[in-house]
Amino acid sequence: MTAIADLRETLTTVLGPAGVISDPVELRTYECDGLAGYRVVPSLVLLPTTTAEVAAVVRACHRAKVPFVARGAGTGLSGGALPVAEGVVISLQRMRALVEVDPANHRAVVQPGVTNLAISRAVAAYDLYYAPDPSSQQVCTIGGNVAENSGGAHCLKYGFTTNHVLALETVLPDGSVVWLGGPSPEVAGPDLRGLMVGSEGTLGIVTGVVVRLLRKPEAVHTLLADFPSIEQAGNTVTDIIGAGIVPAAMEIMDQLAIEASEAAVGAGYTLETPAALVIELDGPADECGELFGAVQELCHRNGTTKIRVAADDAERARIWTGRKAAFAAVGRISPQYFVQDGVVPRTRLAEALGTIGAMGAEAGLRVANVFHAGDGNLHPLVLYDEARGEHERAEKLSKAIAELCVDLGGSLSGEHGIGTDKACSMPVMFGEDDLATMGRVRRAFDPDGLCNPGKVLPTPRLCGEKPGPYRPHPLEADGVIERL
């Protein structure tokens, strides 16, 4: 009996027949995450419903030396939940309980399969909400948000997932269960909670999350401004921050992204405008109203051609629907696409966008831009058609755009994570000592290399191993990485 067959028999006893998927057709449902350009069919998919069941599954994988990959809703955009062919996927979708709401202390305890938006809906009656808001918040899960340290449009003012998570129940790669963090934002000792957030499922599997809740702001003001160019929209963002104003969110979409979004949801964006800037301020009513007037003046100084101010909650929601629909809507104008989320200094936004446009033209591919302008977090979407043989060209362009962000003084990723997609670019951003240290930390948690292998750190197999006799990757020869 093979290791997988033996594991299936063991875990069917633990999870029941409905908790184990082995049918080849059903397994294909889990072959990729939101980055569909990379696909691997797992050997098994497991569906636990409790922390105890997750721990039992991980212990069984640990004993059998079978690699495992945790998966939430599969909305990730970096290949972070890409399966391993001879491994298993541990799906957390059935762990959807809102365990506890503590409105007095502005906390809630949730299982990892709870969707991002469901938290805010569950605590709305207490005039509270959960601040991080990825575009996929209606379907993405809090477990995935923790793994990638997700942000969203409002991270400019409120920060990322790590700023809103107090404690994590975690199943370590050997199957032991620990709590990292505590009931208050600061705990004594090393910040292991902070280490786990954003580790992309490589250090353990989160099965419980204590989140921090915020009081809803007294006032919210939202506008949508059109500009004759991306550069003018970007200059407006720089001027707003330079004036000492920190909006809750500032988002820019180019004409191609607007075209796709309008075709999908019809939110009332101007189709012919080269750039649209969404700005939202929130806080005390008097302060918010005064700053909103200053923001509109700065838009006019930078040549806005039209300002649409949301008159009520319904119109504000419509504006945000247009922005948050952009990624999925691009599927209406292109059969496939790669999306990046590199970060550049705000002052180099115009340079970055101009260079990306030139790179796309040279490659003969369209690039749509939609991004968190306030913190320089770009989201260029490289559009391609695999049927026309454009996949390799698009993948090369996407990688070059990510590395361009590093060259401009930024980062490979702002919130989507490194995953499979950008692992081979890590040496562009980090030196050998940095990568070696990351590898040592990872091995301290997972000495057998079973927990989401092949993600984040470059490996010879992932980054260009050639067929034939084994040849060590240069980073391996230098002792930076190890062959698993």
Side-chain angles (χ1 to χ4, degrees):
M1 184 178 289
T2 67
I4 292 296
D6 186 51
L7 194 64
R8 181 178 62 227
E9 184 176 308
T10 299
L11 293 177
T12 298
T13 302
V14 174
L15 303 176
V20 179
I21 296 175
S22 58
D23 179 83
V25 176
E26 294 183 58
L27 289 174
R28 293 192 70 87
T29 304
Y30 299 85
E31 67 182 356
C32 68
D33 57 13
L35 187 67
Y38 303 110
R39 298 172 184 265
V40 176
V41 179
S43 295
L44 290 176
V45 173
L46 308 165
L47 302 164
T49 59
T50 66
T51 297
E53 288 182 350
V54 174
V57 168
V58 172
R59 284 196 297 271
C61 290
H62 183 256
R63 286 194 300 269
K65 304 303 179 189
V66 171
F68 53 91
V69 176
R71 178 187 172 101
T75 58
L77 294 166
S78 65
L82 187 72
V84 178
E86 298 302 318
V88 304
V89 166
I90 302 174
S91 171
L92 305 173
Q93 278 287 79
R94 292 185 177 179
M95 298 181 69
R96 300 176 181 173
L98 185 67
V99 179
E100 178 187 357
V101 175
D102 180 2
N105 290 300
H106 290 194
R107 294 194 301 249
V109 183
V110 300
Q111 287 189 311
V114 173
T115 61
N116 176 288
L117 189 58
I119 299 175
S120 290
R121 287 174 173 166
V123 301
Y126 303 104
D127 205 32
L128 301 171
Y129 76 109
Y130 179 67
D133 61 335
S135 294
S136 57
Q137 68 179 146
Q138 294 187 61
V139 291
C140 68
T141 59
I142 193 66
N145 290 178
V146 168
E148 304 295 345
N149 191 23
S150 301
H154 291 79
C155 64
L156 172 62
K157 181 175 181 179
Y158 292 104
F160 290 75
T161 297
T162 191
N163 303 111
H164 300 272
V165 167
L166 298 172
L168 300 168
E169 183 182 41
T170 306
V171 177
L172 297 177
D174 64 356
S176 56
V177 181
V178 297
W179 273 97
L180 307 176
S184 60
E186 299 298 332
V187 296
D191 184 13
L192 297 178
R193 176 213 61 86
L195 181 62
M196 189 62 61
V197 176
S199 63
E200 303 191 30
T202 63
L203 305 181
I205 299 177
V206 170
T207 56
V209 186
V210 181
V211 298
R212 183 169 68 100
L213 305 172
L214 299 183
R215 181 72 59 191
K216 290 182 180 179
E218 180 183 5
V220 181
H221 294 294
T222 308
L223 66 78
L224 172 64
D226 296 343
F227 287 89
S229 70
I230 284 277
E231 290 77 15
Q232 285 165 281
N235 289 338
T236 304
V237 170
T238 299
D239 288 350
I240 290 170
I241 298 295
I245 302 171
V246 181
M250 286 194 287
E251 304 285 299
I252 292 179
M253 296 169 63
D254 70 6
Q255 190 166 4
L256 196 54
I258 292 169
E259 174 191 334
S261 177
E262 280 300 293
V265 299
Y269 283 60
T270 307
L271 284 172
E272 60 271 17
T273 189
L277 171 60
V278 178
I279 304 173
E280 184 162 282
L281 280 75
D282 64 14
D286 290 344
E287 177 189 23
C288 202
E290 182 178 344
L291 293 178
F292 197 59
V295 163
Q296 292 182 69
E297 175 58 29
L298 289 170
C299 289
H300 285 296
R301 287 186 196 175
N302 282 283
T304 182
T305 55
K306 177 184 176 183
I307 293 180
R308 170 186 170 191
V309 175
D312 51 30
D313 288 347
E315 188 171 7
R316 181 167 63 253
R318 192 174 176 217
I319 290 173
W320 279 113
T321 296
R323 162 58 186 91
K324 295 196 172 188
F327 280 6
V330 166
R332 289 175 171 263
I333 61 174
S334 177
Q336 288 96 22
Y337 63 85
F338 283 104
V339 59
Q340 287 296 348
D341 79 312
V343 181
V344 299
R346 259 192 320 271
T347 54
R348 305 193 76 173
L349 273 173
E351 180 183 358
L353 293 167
T355 304
I356 290 170
M359 292 165 68
E362 183 179 352
L365 296 169
R366 295 178 298 165
V367 180
N369 287 288
V370 51
F371 52 96
H372 307 318
D375 57 2
N377 188 188
L378 303 177
H379 290 77
L381 298 109
V382 178
L383 315 184
Y384 71 97
D385 186 344
E386 193 164 11
R388 297 170 59 182
E390 294 175 345
H391 180 277
E392 185 175 343
R393 196 162 15 123
E395 185 177 16
K396 183 179 179 181
L397 174 58
S398 182
K399 179 182 178 181
I401 289 172
E403 295 181 358
L404 167 70
C405 293
V406 177
D407 292 341
L408 293 176
S411 169
L412 289 170
S413 175
E415 57 178 339
H416 293 175
I418 300 299
T420 303
D421 185 38
K422 295 184 279 288
C424 297
S425 295
M426 286 287 275
V428 175
M429 184 171 176
F430 296 102
E432 293 181 3
D433 290 345
D434 302 315
L435 293 170
T437 299
M438 293 179 198
R440 286 198 292 271
V441 171
R442 185 166 180 172
R443 288 192 295 276
F445 280 80
D446 182 24
D448 296 319
L450 299 176
C451 192
N452 206 13
K455 313 304 190 320
V456 184
L457 297 179
T459 64
R461 177 178 297 176
L462 182 66
C463 303
E465 183 180 64
K466 298 178 181 179
Y470 177 73
R471 300 176 180 85
H473 188 278
L475 289 175
E476 181 186 358
D478 292 341
V480 177
I481 58 176
E482 293 182 353
R483 186 186 184 193
L484 299 179

